[in-house]
C-alpha cells in the first residue's frame, strides 16, 4: 500500500506527541513493506528533495515550514506520488485542505490524525480542515468528544489508542523494588503535588517512591518533598530512557497518574503492561481514567486522601512484572487497526483492499 503522510513540521521541527505518533506509524508501515512517504518541509542539510530514515521517505515540499507555500505545492506532490491513502495532521489547517485536493486528484481517501495537542481553530481553514477528511482518528474518547462537540459527525470519528512494544516490556529486567512510580514532564500540568500530599498522608508507614521526568517545575517539587519531610523516601530519577522507565515500572508495585491534561496516558499504559497497579486521579481534561475503567488492578480517585488509601489497597494485589492483557495495545495490533481503516476507506472508494 502507498501511504502519504502530510505533516509540514516533523519532529525535527517540533517534537510534539502527535507528530511522534504519526512518524511512528509511518515507520511501522515501512517495516511491514508498505511504500511510505512523509510530505513535509525540509529539515535536512543539502539540496536533496528527499531523505530516508528507517525506511520512510521524507519529501521536502518546501525548504522551510511556510504554510501558504506548502499548501500551494502539496497537491501536485501528492498527485505525483499516487497514494492509496493520504494521512494528515490537523495543523496548519491549510495543509489539510491541500491534502484533500491532492487526495481527490489521486482518488485517495483522506484520514486526519487528531491527537488533540494542536488546535487549528485560529485558522480561516479550520472548519474545512475538520469537514474535509473521510475519517478523523483520535487517541481517546476524551479527544473524540471534544471533536464531536466541534461538529464532527460521530460516524466520521474513529478512536485508535497509542501503542507500546510488548516484546520490549518482556525483555527488560526489573529495577530495585519501589512501592510507587510516577512519570510525566515536570511542568505545571504534572500535578505532582497531589501525589506528594497523598504520600505525606502515609508518612507513618514504610514506602518508597520514584518520580520520573524533568522540567521547569522540578526544583519546586523537590522543595515540596523536603517541606513535607518525605525527601528520604522519594527519588527524582530525571528523564530516563524507555528501557530505564520500564525497569522502574517492573520493579514498582503501583503507578500513580495525576496530570491535569493527557490526550492519551501513554506512560500509564506502559506501566500497566509492566505489571503496575494503576492509580488515577480523575481530571476533567485527562483521558487516563479510560484505561482503568474496566480493569481490576486499577483505582480511580479524586483527592489526595483517596490516593493514599488506594496506595495502601494496591498492596493487596500480587506484584507482577508483565501483564499480557495489554497486548491489544501492542504496536502490531494497533498498526493492523490502522491498516483495516485504510482498507475500509479504499473499499468505499471502489478500489481493491
Amino acid at each position: 500500500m502507498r501511504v502519504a503522510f502530510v505533516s509540514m513540521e516533523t519532529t525535527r521541527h517540533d517534537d510534539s506527541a502527535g507528530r511522534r505518533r504519526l512518524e511512528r506509524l509511518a515507520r511501522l508501515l515501512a517495516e511491514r513493506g508498505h511504500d511510505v512517504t512523509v510530505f513535509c518541509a525540509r529539515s535536512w542539510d543539502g539540496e536533496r528533495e528527499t531523505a530516508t530514515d528507517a525506511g520512510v521517505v521524507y519529501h521536502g515540499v518546501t525548504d522551510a515550514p511556510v504554510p501558504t507555500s506548502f499548501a500551494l505545492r502539496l497537491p501536485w506532490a501528492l498527485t505525483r506520488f499516487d497514494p492509496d491513502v493520504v494521512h494528515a495532521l490537523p495543523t496548519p489547517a491549510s495543509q489539510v485542505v491541500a491534502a484533500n485536493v491532492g487526495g481527490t486528484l489521486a482518488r485517495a481517501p483522506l484520514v486526519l490524525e487528531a491527537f488533540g495537542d494542536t488546535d487549528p481553530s485560529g485558522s480561516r481553514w479550520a472548519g474545512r480542515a475538520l469537514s474535509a477528511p473521510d475519517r478523523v482518528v483520535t487517541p481517546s474518547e476524551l479527544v473524540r468528544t471534544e471533536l464531536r462537540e466541534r461538529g464532527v459527525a460521530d460516524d466520521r470519528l474513529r478512536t485508535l489508542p497509542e501503542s507500546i512494544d510488548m516484546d520490549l516490556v518482556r525483555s527488560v529486567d526489573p529495577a530495585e523494588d519501589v512501592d510507587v512510580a510516577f512519570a510525566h514532564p515536570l511542568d505545571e500540568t504534572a500535578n505532582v503535588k497531589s501525589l506528594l500530599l497523598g504520600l505525606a498522608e502515609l508518612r507513618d508507614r514504610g514506602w518508597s517512591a520514584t518520580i520520573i521526568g524533568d522540567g521547569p517545575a522540578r526544583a519546586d517539587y523537590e522543595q515540596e518533598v523536603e517541606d513535607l519531610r518525605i525527601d528520604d523516601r522519594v527519588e527524582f530519577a530525571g528523564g530516563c530512557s524507555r528501557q530505564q522507565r520500564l525497569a522502574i515500572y517492573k520493579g514498582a508495585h503501583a503507578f500513580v497518574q495525576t496530570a491535569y491534561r493527557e490526550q492519551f496516558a501513554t506512560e500509564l499504559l506502559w506501566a500497566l503492561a509492566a505489571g503496575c497497579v494503576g492509580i488515577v486521579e480523575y481530571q476533567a481534561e485527562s483521558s487516563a481514567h479510560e484505561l482503568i475503567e474496566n480493569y481490576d488492578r486499577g483505582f480511580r480517585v479524586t483527592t489526595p486522601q483517596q490516593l493514599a488509601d488506594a496506595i495502601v489497597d494496591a498492596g493487596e494485589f500480587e506484584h507482577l512484572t508483565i501483564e499480557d492483557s495489554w497486548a491489544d495495545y501492542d504496536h502490531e495490533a494497533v498498526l493492523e487497526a490502522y491498516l483495516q481503516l485504510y482498507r475500509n476507506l479504499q473499499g468505499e472508494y471502489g478500489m481493491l483492499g
Side-chain angles (χ1 to χ4, degrees), residues 238-299:
C240 296
S241 67
R242 173 53 57 206
Q243 286 83 353
Q244 289 171 324
R245 289 172 182 241
L246 284 172
I248 292 170
Y249 300 158
K250 294 181 83 168
H253 195 77
F255 182 93
V256 174
Q257 173 81 33
T258 60
Y260 291 127
R261 177 69 178 172
E262 289 281 14
Q263 287 84 13
F264 187 93
T266 306
E267 287 302 323
L268 172 61
L269 175 60
W270 281 103
L272 294 172
C276 286
V277 176
I279 301 174
V280 175
E281 183 178 60
Y282 177 79
Q283 304 291 346
E285 295 187 0
S286 171
S287 67
H289 63 277
E290 296 176 20
L291 282 173
I292 63 163
E293 279 179 339
N294 300 305
Y295 185 52
D296 291 339
R297 291 170 57 88
F299 297 87

Side-chain angles (χ1 to χ4, degrees), residues 166-178 181 243-253 270-271 273-276 319-323:
M166 289 296 293
D167 286 340
L168 180 61
V169 176
R170 295 185 184 96
S171 70
V172 174
D173 293 326
E176 183 178 345
D177 287 353
V178 64
Q243 286 83 353
Q244 289 171 324
R245 289 172 182 241
L246 284 172
I248 292 170
Y249 300 158
K250 294 181 83 168
H253 195 77
W270 281 103
C276 286
H319 185 168
L320 303 178
T321 58
I322 185 71
E323 177 54 278

Side-chain angles (χ1 to χ4, degrees), residues 29 46 73 108 171 204 230 256 277 294 319 325 335 338:
L29 285 167
R73 298 178 184 180
S171 70
D204 294 334
I230 55 174
V256 174
V277 176
N294 300 305
H319 185 168
S325 64
L335 175 62
Y338 271 104

Side-chain angles (χ1 to χ4, degrees), residues 178-197:
V178 64
D179 295 290
V180 175
F182 173 96
H184 193 276
L186 299 184
D187 54 22
E188 69 281 358
T189 71
N191 189 27
V192 181
K193 186 173 183 178
S194 283
L195 168 64
L196 300 181
L197 291 175

Side-chain angles (χ1 to χ4, degrees), residues 180 192-209 211 224-234 304-305 307-309 311-312:
V180 175
V192 181
K193 186 173 183 178
S194 283
L195 168 64
L196 300 181
L197 291 175
L199 292 173
E201 294 285 340
L202 304 172
R203 61 166 54 89
D204 294 334
R205 293 174 175 262
W207 54 265
S208 58
I211 294 176
E224 189 149 9
V225 165
E226 290 186 22
D227 294 341
L228 291 169
R229 303 191 307 281
I230 55 174
D231 51 303
D232 59 329
R233 291 188 268 177
V234 177
Q305 181 59 62
L307 193 155
D309 294 341
I311 291 173
V312 174

